[in-house]
Amino acid sequence: MSSRDRSHTAFARAKELIPGGVNSPARAFGGVGGEPIFFESALGQRLTDIDGHVYLDYIGSWGPMILGHRHPRVVAAIAEMLGKGTSYGAPTEAESHLAELIIAAVPSIEKVRMVSSGTEAAMSAVRLARGFTGRDKIVKFAGNYHGHVDSLLVAAGSSAATLGVPNSPGITAGTAADTIVLEYNDVEGLEALFKTRGLDIAALLMEPVVGNMGLVTPSREFLAAARKLTLAHGSLLVFDEVMTGFRLSLGGAQQILGVTPDLTTLGKIVGGGLPLGAYGGRRDVMDHVLPAGKVFQAGTLSGNPLAVAAGTATLEELRDNPPYERLERHGARLEEGFREAAARAGVPAWVARVGSMMTMFFQKGPEVIPVTGWKTASLSDTARYADFFWKMIDRGIYLPCSQYEALFFSAAHTDADIEATIAAAAESLAGR
Ligand code: KE4
C-alpha cells in the first residue's frame, strides 16, 4: 500500500483546529499508533481514503452502516426528505412512524423518546431511572461504555464496594460516588452488592453483549442474576443496545438472549448513519418523562426529520429483507478463518463473536485465556494487535483502531470479501 501523504497533511492541519485533530478520540488511532486515515467517500462495504486507497470496511462508522454505505433505500429516503426540509423543531408524523417501527421490533419498548446520540440516550435513561425510583445509585460494569455521560465515565474504585472514581478530569467525586462499578460476568459480586445495597440502586446499566472492551458475551447465570436482582429490589434493568440494537437481530441482543429489560437505549443503526439515538421501555416508566411526567429531557434536533428518514429506511430494509442469516454465515466463516490463521501462525488469541460483531484478543500466551470481562480483556497484547492492524491496513482491510473495540461488517460484504479478509489475516499473522 503506497503512502498516505494527503492524510498526513490533513491530520497536521486538523490538529491545529480540532483537539487531537479528530471529533472523537475513538478515531485518533491512539490504540494502534500512527496517524488516523482521512476518508473521501464510501459505497457498500468499501471506504476510499483521500489518497485514493480502497479498504474493506470493518468499522461501518462504529456500527450504523449494517446495510453498507449509501444503501439506495436510505439515500432515496434522505433525498426525498431534503425536498421537504431538514429540521422544524416541531413534531412530524414520520417520528411516530419510526417509533412504531422501533416498538414493533423491540417488544420490551412500549414507549420511546428520540434523542441525537447514544450518549444522550444513556444520560436520559439514567436520569429517568433515578426520577422513577427516587434512588441515586447506578450500577455499571468495567469495560462497558455508554457514551460520555459524567455519571458513567467512571472506573472501578479501590473501595470494597468498588465505588466509582472519575476516569476523566472534569467529573466530580460526588458524581462518581453514585456510580458502582462491578466486573462483567461476576455473579457473586452482583449478588453481594444487591444483598447489602439493593434498595439504594436506581438502575443496573449493561451492554447485553459487550462491544466496548472487545466482544464479550454474558453468561446465562449473569444475565439471570441481573434480571432477578433488579426485579427483587425495585431497581430498573437498562440494556444499552446502542451497538447491538437491530444488529444482532431485529430485536437486538434481548431478542436472542431472551431477557426483557425495563429500559433500552438505542443509537447507531436506528439513525441509519445520521445523528439519532433513542431510549424506551415500560410505559409506566416512560410516562415519567416530561411533558407526560416530571423527568426533564429535551433536544433541539431530537427526532430530526433527516435522521428519522435515514433511520426509518434502514429499519424498514432490515424488516423487509432481514440480513441476519447472511451476517451469521459470514461471521461464522470469519471467526473460523481468524481462529485457524492464529493457530497456524502460533499466535495465542481468543476469538469472540456474536453475529456480525467480533474481536480477536491477542494474548501474551502461551495459554489462551477466555475473555469474560475487563480483568481478562485488559491482559491483551495491544502491541501485537497494533502490528496486526497496520498489516491489515496495508492489505486494504480497515479494522477497528483498538484492541478494545468489536469489528462490524455489513450486509454488503460478500463471500469473496470474507475470504479475502481471512487470507489477509493469515498473511499478517504469519508476519509477512
Ligand atoms: P454515541 O454518543 O457515540 O452515539 O453513543 C455512545 C455509546 C453508547 N453505548 C454504546 C454501547 C456504545 O458503543 C456507544 C458508542 N460506541 C463508540 C465505539 N465503541 C462510538 C465511537 C466513538 O465514540 O467515536
Side-chain angles (χ1 to χ4, degrees):
M1 183 69 78
S2 61
S3 72
R4 282 177 286 274
D5 293 341
R6 290 188 63 184
S7 267
H8 175 72
T9 305
F11 187 48
R13 174 186 176 216
K15 281 191 291 187
E16 294 305 309
L17 304 163
I18 301 167
V22 291
N23 281 308
S24 184
R27 312 169 191 166
F29 279 30
V32 292
E35 296 184 341
I37 299 170
F38 282 60
F39 288 95
E40 175 76 31
S41 66
L43 179 63
Q45 71 275 44
R46 290 190 174 80
L47 292 165
T48 300
D49 74 15
I50 61 174
D51 289 281
H53 304 309
V54 179
Y55 305 84
L56 277 178
D57 184 6
Y58 281 90
I59 293 190
S61 180
W62 299 100
M65 310 318 289
I66 189 169
L67 298 177
H69 296 279
R70 283 199 277 155
H71 187 283
R73 189 166 180 174
V74 178
V75 171
I78 295 170
E80 183 190 351
M81 186 60 223
L82 269 179
K84 294 190 276 185
T86 56
S87 182
Y88 309 138
T92 64
E93 290 182 288
E95 292 156 75
S96 300
H97 178 59
L98 178 55
E100 285 170 344
L101 287 171
I102 294 167
I103 289 166
V106 189
S108 70
I109 297 180
E110 296 174 329
K111 272 193 172 177
V112 63
R113 167 62 66 84
M114 291 164 208
V115 291
S116 297
S117 70
T119 294
E120 252 194 291
M123 176 174 65
S124 309
V126 164
R127 184 179 313 124
L128 173 58
R130 286 172 163 157
F132 176 76
T133 61
R135 301 175 183 178
D136 296 345
K137 300 299 182 203
I138 296 289
V139 179
K140 74 173 289 285
F141 297 96
N144 282 212
Y145 175 67
H146 306 290
H148 63 96
V149 189
D150 274 13
S151 59
L152 300 174
L153 278 181
V154 295
S158 53
S159 77
T162 61
L163 269 188
V165 292
N167 64 5
S168 165
I171 295 171
T172 65
T175 301
D178 279 333
T179 304
I180 300 165
V181 184
L182 297 181
E183 178 71 3
Y184 200 79
N185 277 319
D186 175 6
V187 177
E188 287 79 48
L190 200 51
E191 288 170 342
L193 174 72
F194 271 87
K195 189 172 176 192
T196 55
R197 313 185 62 181
L199 297 179
D200 299 332
I201 294 170
L204 182 155
L205 212 72
M206 64 188 286
E207 292 183 59
V209 169
V210 186
N212 284 292
M213 56 176 131
L215 197 284
V216 173
T217 54
S219 72
R220 190 164 299 284
E221 297 76 16
F222 178 64
L223 273 177
R227 183 61 287 181
K228 179 167 67 70
L229 291 165
T230 46
L231 270 179
H233 294 85
S235 312
L236 297 184
L237 177 60
V238 183
F239 274 5
D240 180 339
E241 295 228 39
V242 168
M243 255 188 194
T244 55
F246 313 108
R247 175 164 287 276
L248 299 186
S249 75
L250 192 60
Q254 57 193 270
Q255 176 179 313
I256 60 172
L257 297 172
V259 176
T260 302
D262 300 302
L263 291 177
T264 299
T265 60
L266 298 167
K268 297 180 191 279
I269 290 173
V270 77
L274 269 64
L276 199 144
Y279 65 103
R282 282 169 37 192
R283 180 187 302 277
D284 65 317
V285 179
M286 290 303 293
D287 279 343
H288 282 254
V289 179
L290 202 73
K294 294 185 169 43
V295 176
F296 188 84
Q297 181 265 306
T300 303
L301 297 174
S302 294
N304 168 267
L306 273 187
V308 165
T312 299
T314 299
L315 295 199
E316 286 179 339
E317 179 61 20
L318 290 170
R319 176 200 63 194
D320 300 345
N321 302 297
Y324 303 105
E325 283 176 19
R326 175 189 178 87
L327 293 173
E328 177 53 33
R329 180 165 53 79
H330 282 161
R333 177 64 190 121
L334 198 67
E335 176 186 355
E336 175 192 53
F338 272 44
R339 189 170 283 132
E340 285 174 353
R344 236 188 344 266
V347 172
W350 172 261
V351 181
R353 178 186 68 85
V354 180
S356 56
M357 291 173 64
M358 186 174 98
T359 300
M360 177 156 72
F361 292 93
F362 286 75
Q363 299 190 343
K364 291 160 180 133
E367 297 307 312
V368 172
I369 303 166
V371 177
T372 57
W374 181 242
K375 281 190 181 130
T376 39
S378 58
L379 300 175
S380 298
D381 186 341
T382 53
R384 195 136 202 200
Y385 180 83
D387 177 66
F388 178 64
F389 171 83
W390 284 109
K391 286 187 165 79
M392 292 292 269
I393 285 285
D394 289 342
R395 290 169 171 82
I397 309 291
Y398 191 66
L399 296 176
C401 45
S402 166
Q403 170 69 89
Y404 302 123
E405 295 282 2
L407 69 75
F408 304 96
F409 56 86
S410 76
H413 284 67
T414 65
D415 292 349
D417 295 328
I418 299 296
E419 293 308 321
T421 305
I422 292 168
E427 285 181 12
S428 302
L429 288 164
R432 287 195 289 272

